[in-house]
Amino acid sequence: MPAEDTNTRAWQIYGQRQLDRAFTPPVPERLSWTPWEGTGPGAEVLGALAQQPPPMPSRGTT
């Protein structure tokens, strides 16, 4: 079995076990860019991320 298929199968088993246990991962209060707490900006610099589609680009007139 190719390595990619083995990896895919392992993740499927892992995911199914988490679903079977009804595991809910913790939701962070703030998404950071670095693994060090308080270093750099958080995701708030990107604006509203809460399930909003990106704005449609405006079409220039020629």
Side-chain angles (χ1 to χ4, degrees):
M1 179 181 289
E4 186 173 333
D5 293 343
T6 302
N7 190 37
T8 299
R9 181 74 180 126
W11 278 108
Q12 288 172 341
I13 292 169
Y14 172 78
Q16 189 59 56
R17 287 182 181 166
Q18 297 302 324
L19 290 172
D20 292 344
R21 289 178 30 201
F23 176 74
T24 302
V27 177
E29 291 182 23
R30 181 176 188 266
L31 296 176
S32 298
W33 295 105
T34 67
W36 300 281
E37 188 68 33
T39 303
E44 65 273 3
V45 299
L46 298 175
L49 296 174
Q51 299 180 8
Q52 294 184 10
M56 295 296 293
S58 60
R59 295 180 182 246
T61 57
T62 55

